[in-house]
């Protein structure tokens, strides 16, 4: 018997409570991501793991959550045969580096088993099993699950029950209700030593593989491992229904609404405007004059840029910003927003219109769209009287908020009036 | 003992399977809506029942779902003392006609008990108990619950379990997992005869009222009533977390994305444009020349209106439309969208701009905003060559989609370019 192999006929060894607990993961870990679902429950034709948000499928967000974790080696994505090409396309388009795509079976357990078998040569210390439709898992929690799996053989995320669970009679009447406090919902991620999960599946019956859904149960039944249960954050919730996709979208967008980097130039008028916006906006504005000097603070991290121009055309400034973003490989992954804020202090011709009818921003915007850069314009009238100016500032603030929040491709290239 | 009163010492009488089953509700029904929650789980300061979507609080949508049902007499909303004024304000602002607001207790059961006691004089045949944060309940399902409650004394909505339910050991390890097929999640609405629910609460102990959460359990424990369980639609799900609010929003908006009424005028150019839009848009366009003649088909039901103007200013047409909507009391409840689609076939001055700098639409739009009418403009360039025209039509289609979908107050009064 291999070292660490579990024996179904023998209960696990008692563990010494005094043993040293590792606090960081320093051993090989791989992930199996079953994504064979057909999306029946969402009522959509596309299975929900392939549903797109900000032009990126949900499963790519989930993969990203694992690729960001340095100590995770491989992510085995298990998809239905008919989705193999689509999945390979996603891996290529979004530059996923740790992914292997394998074909699934007819049930959840058969698909996971295929994924585990694909790791036979790697034999990682721990295998994490997660759902493709839970994209918000974070490193901190993955590390808890992984360390507990290494220590106890198996570990799984739990959440409190949202509803009372009741047992029904065969005639459809209430039999009894469970005491909510004694039970938990079992969620993913779950972690297993490679030995435990592979043995659990090898010892599973056809009936287990056909009708079961719970990996922790297989580990208990076939390897006598009582998994360690770890309370997970509410964001572990699974995208199940059509409207959950809107909820997932709002979580994906959340980090994109926190702040914007303002490239201000050195005009006094711009400074006044920015000060007013800092008060009106519910997002943090980081003001810089030269973005390239602030590369690591903003160019690598910021989702939103506001380029202010006063009485001049700043097309070349925006082009320069785009070049910098391209150099730093910030484009193509998530849509970045650039807002071109045109402030006219004179009564002269606006910087934002060319001789034709379309404003200059329209052409520039359409050339940037395929780079996943969403360019919008906002034009402010001359600040003649202060009442009108205050209204305009509030309007600019509302417009910035909505553009940053919606990130709508349809509005790209519009020159909005404040 | 009153007729129909339940006796805790005697099991319910066996029912004759052959008795006539009513298929419509023809007896008095009232609703108790506990809304005392503080929204801790959402992480928002405002309790989630008061969170606004399209400038209307969630609880107002829930109340609306009951007020639409003709056979429901009263809705008793139970709120925490500190929210009494806010709730009364909501009842007034949204013209709720069937609502009584009462003060809640320190727990869910105490609040519901207060609500039931408030119905002591009415003594409705059936009391429906529902959560304020499940706004999507429909008449058909309410009627099933009500009739089953009348027949069996108690009835409740159930849903399949989304996750496996597991029992934990006191040390936080897996003890066993429940067979998912045998259990259900208990949801609301629930229905009780007035006798059953009032007796159940009268016989409840302090401990029941303090720690319990399940009304069906009280009916079983204190009145020996095994509630009839009825599978509910997935939309019964409870708004629990912050991101659920985005999900709720997407359901609220769904009926608003299905169609638009187009007031076309009689221009050939407008007809060509509309035909092209009908192909490009994922929503149904109902084209009319005179809206007042189609009052019952569109004026009372439609969420979106598109007013097409060709080379002329249609400000007066829009004002006439608004007057009609006001007469039909369509304003103030939900935000209606009007899109002013300006098509210029000549090279003359656009109808949409006045002599000043701001387009005419801006003033009109701000005068409509307090009526909850969102007015947006879209301007099409001269259809000179067909390639450019096709691109413009697609752009118009994208813009209409996004305006109708987002219903953004920030974009009101903008004249967008196609």
């Amino acid at each position: 018997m291999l070292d660490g192999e579990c024996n179904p006929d023998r209960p696990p060894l008692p563990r010494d409570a005094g043993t040293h607990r590792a606090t960081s993961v320093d051993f090989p870990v791989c992930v199996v991501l079953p994504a064979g679902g057909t999306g029946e429950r969402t009522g959509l034709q596309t299975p929900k793991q392939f549903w797109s948000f900000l032009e990126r499928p949900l499963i790519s967000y989930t993969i990203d959550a694992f690729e960001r974790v340095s100590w995770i080696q491989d992510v085995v994505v298990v998809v239905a045969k008919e989705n193999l090409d689509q999945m390979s396309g996603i891996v290529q388009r979004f530059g996923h580096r740790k992914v292997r795509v394998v074909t699934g079976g007819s049930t959840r357990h058969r698909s996971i088993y295929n994924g585990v078998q694909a790791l036979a040569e790697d034999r990682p210390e721990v295998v994490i099993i997660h759902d493709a439709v839970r994209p918000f898992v974070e490193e901190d929690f993955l590390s808890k699950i992984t360390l507990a799996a290494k220590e106890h053989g198996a570990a799984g995320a739990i959440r409190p029950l949202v509803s009372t669970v009741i047992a029904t009679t065969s005639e459809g009447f209430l039999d009894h209700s469970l005491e909510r406090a004694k039970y938990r919902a079992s969620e993913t991620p779950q972690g297993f030593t490679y030995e435990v999960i592979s043995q659990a599946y090898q010892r599973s019956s056809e009936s287990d593989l056909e009708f079961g859904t719970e990996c922790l149960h297989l580990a208990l039944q076939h390897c006598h491992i009582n998994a360690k249960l770890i309370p997970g954050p509410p964001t572990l919730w699974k995208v199940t229904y059509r409207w959950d996709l809107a909820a997932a979208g709002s979580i994906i967008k959340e980090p994109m609404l926190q702040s914007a980097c303002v490239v201000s130039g050195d005009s006094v008028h711009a400074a006044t405007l920015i000060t007013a916006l800092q008060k009106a906006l519910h997002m943090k504005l980081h003001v810089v004059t030269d973005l390239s000097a602030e590369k690591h603070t903003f160019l690598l991290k910021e989702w939103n840029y506001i380029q202010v121009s006063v009485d001049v055309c700043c097309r070349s400034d925006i082009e320069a910003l785009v070049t910098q973003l391209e150099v730093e490989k910030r484009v193509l992954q998530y849509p970045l927003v650039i807002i071109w804020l045109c402030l006219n202090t004179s009564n002269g011709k606006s910087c934002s219109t060319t001789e034709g009818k379309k404003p200059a921003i329209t052409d520039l915007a359409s050339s940037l769209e395929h780079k996943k850069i969403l360019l919008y314009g906002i034009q402010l009238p001359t600040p003649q009287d202060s009442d009108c100016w205050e209204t305009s500032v509030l309007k600019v603030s509302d417009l910035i908020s909505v553009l940053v929040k919606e990130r709508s491709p349809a509005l790209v290239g519009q020159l909005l009036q404040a």
Side-chain angles (χ1 to χ4, degrees), chain A:
Chain A
M1 193 189 277
L2 286 168
D3 186 19
E5 199 169 356
C6 72
N7 183 337
D9 305 320
R10 203 178 55 183
L13 292 172
R15 282 164 202 282
D16 182 354
T19 48
H20 171 72
R21 258 171 212 245
T23 52
S24 68
V25 181
D26 51 6
F27 46 84
V29 178
C30 290
V31 178
V32 173
L33 215 53
T38 55
E40 278 164 30
R41 276 194 287 194
T42 59
L44 296 172
Q45 282 190 323
T46 310
K48 51 192 187 290
Q49 62 272 27
F50 296 122
W51 190 79
S52 263
F53 196 82
L54 297 176
E55 296 177 62
R56 184 186 178 106
L58 217 49
I59 192 165
S60 173
Y61 292 100
T62 313
I63 293 169
D64 200 35
F66 289 105
E67 287 191 332
R68 278 198 300 260
V69 179
S70 62
W71 45 266
I72 287 179
Q73 296 187 333
D74 281 296
V75 180
V76 178
V77 179
V78 193
V79 296
K81 204 175 173 188
E82 61 264 38
N83 297 127
L84 271 178
D85 288 349
Q86 185 178 4
M87 191 62 226
S88 305
I90 291 167
V91 169
Q92 199 170 23
R93 185 146 32 99
F94 296 97
H96 292 304
R97 317 169 314 278
K98 297 185 180 177
V99 170
R100 251 183 286 169
V101 184
V102 307
T103 313
S106 56
T107 64
R108 175 177 160 85
H109 270 328
R110 289 191 219 277
S111 290
I112 297 174
Y113 192 9
N114 285 6
V116 171
Q117 284 175 314
L119 293 170
E121 281 190 21
D122 312 65
R123 295 189 79 80
E125 189 77 26
V126 165
V127 178
I128 294 174
I129 295 171
H130 191 64
D131 293 310
V133 287
R134 301 190 197 246
F136 307 110
V137 62
E138 292 189 355
E139 174 163 359
D140 178 49
F141 190 72
L142 286 171
S143 134
K144 282 185 194 166
I145 288 286
T146 303
L147 293 170
K150 173 115 190 287
E151 189 180 350
H152 303 285
I158 52 169
R159 290 281 308 151
L161 295 173
V162 171
S163 307
T164 304
V165 173
I166 56 182
T168 64
T169 68
S170 54
E171 292 82 27
F173 289 88
L174 175 68
D175 188 73
H176 64 276
S177 57
L178 300 185
E179 213 177 303
R180 219 198 269 190
K182 289 190 181 157
Y183 294 87
R184 296 288 180 275
S186 169
E187 316 272 334
T188 63
Q190 297 176 343
F192 303 87
T193 60
Y194 180 78
E195 308 306 329
V196 165
I197 194 68
S198 59
Q199 296 267 333
Y201 273 113
Q202 279 165 36
R203 289 166 183 165
S204 288
S205 66
E206 281 301 303
S207 163
D208 284 337
L209 296 176
E210 187 67 26
F211 302 110
T213 53
E214 181 57 70
C215 299
L216 299 183
H217 175 72
L218 296 184
L220 178 63
Q221 193 183 354
H222 299 299
C223 304
H224 299 277
I225 296 285
N226 293 72
K228 174 70 181 167
L229 304 173
I230 304 179
T235 41
L236 284 186
W237 126 100
K238 178 158 80 175
V239 172
T240 308
Y241 301 108
R242 203 159 19 98
W243 45 89
D244 283 339
L245 300 170
S250 85
I251 299 178
I252 290 169
K253 274 181 177 175
E254 217 163 69
M256 305 179 188
L257 312 179
Q258 306 304 320
S259 64
C261 176
V262 184
V263 187
S264 65
D266 49 12
S267 144
V268 180
H269 286 99
T272 314
L273 173 63
I274 292 162
T275 308
L277 283 177
Q278 277 171 324
K279 282 182 197 155
L281 273 169
H282 291 288
M283 65 196 299
K284 190 145 183 62
L285 296 184
H286 305 288
V287 188
V288 297
T289 43
D290 180 8
L291 197 55
S292 57
E294 307 271 5
K295 183 174 132 175
H296 291 282
T297 321
F298 303 118
L299 213 50
L300 293 177
K301 291 177 196 161
E302 195 52 71
W303 301 104
N304 310 296
Y305 299 87
I306 300 173
Q307 175 78 49
V308 186
S309 76
V310 182
D311 297 326
V312 290
C313 180
C314 61
R315 187 184 166 119
S316 58
D317 294 333
I318 287 177
E319 286 167 335
L321 170 58
V322 170
T323 308
Q324 286 175 296
L325 290 169
E326 284 185 295
V327 169
E328 303 301 340
K329 300 199 166 63
R330 283 300 306 282
V331 300
L332 288 177
Q333 291 292 324
Y334 292 88
L336 299 178
V337 162
I338 302 180
I339 297 172
W340 180 351
L341 196 51
C342 309
L343 180 59
N344 302 320
T345 59
S346 65
N347 287 319
K349 208 174 164 70
S350 160
C351 66
S352 53
T353 52
T354 53
E355 273 145 52
K357 286 203 167 175
K358 286 204 176 180
I361 186 176
T362 310
D363 295 332
L364 184 52
S366 44
S367 74
L368 296 180
E369 233 182 317
H370 72 278
K371 295 178 182 168
K372 280 211 171 182
I373 292 180
L374 307 169
L375 176 65
Y376 311 102
I378 301 175
Q379 191 165 33
L380 266 88
T382 323
Q384 276 158 335
D385 70 278
S386 65
D387 269 8
C388 173
W389 173 247
E390 271 175 39
T391 314
S392 287
V393 170
L394 286 179
K395 190 85 193 163
V396 172
S397 155
D398 286 350
L399 288 170
I400 291 174
S401 299
V402 79
L403 292 173
V404 159
K405 188 175 165 221
E406 304 302 347
R407 306 182 105 74
S408 162
L411 292 171
V412 148
Q414 296 293 334
L415 184 64
L416 305 170
Q417 305 297 318

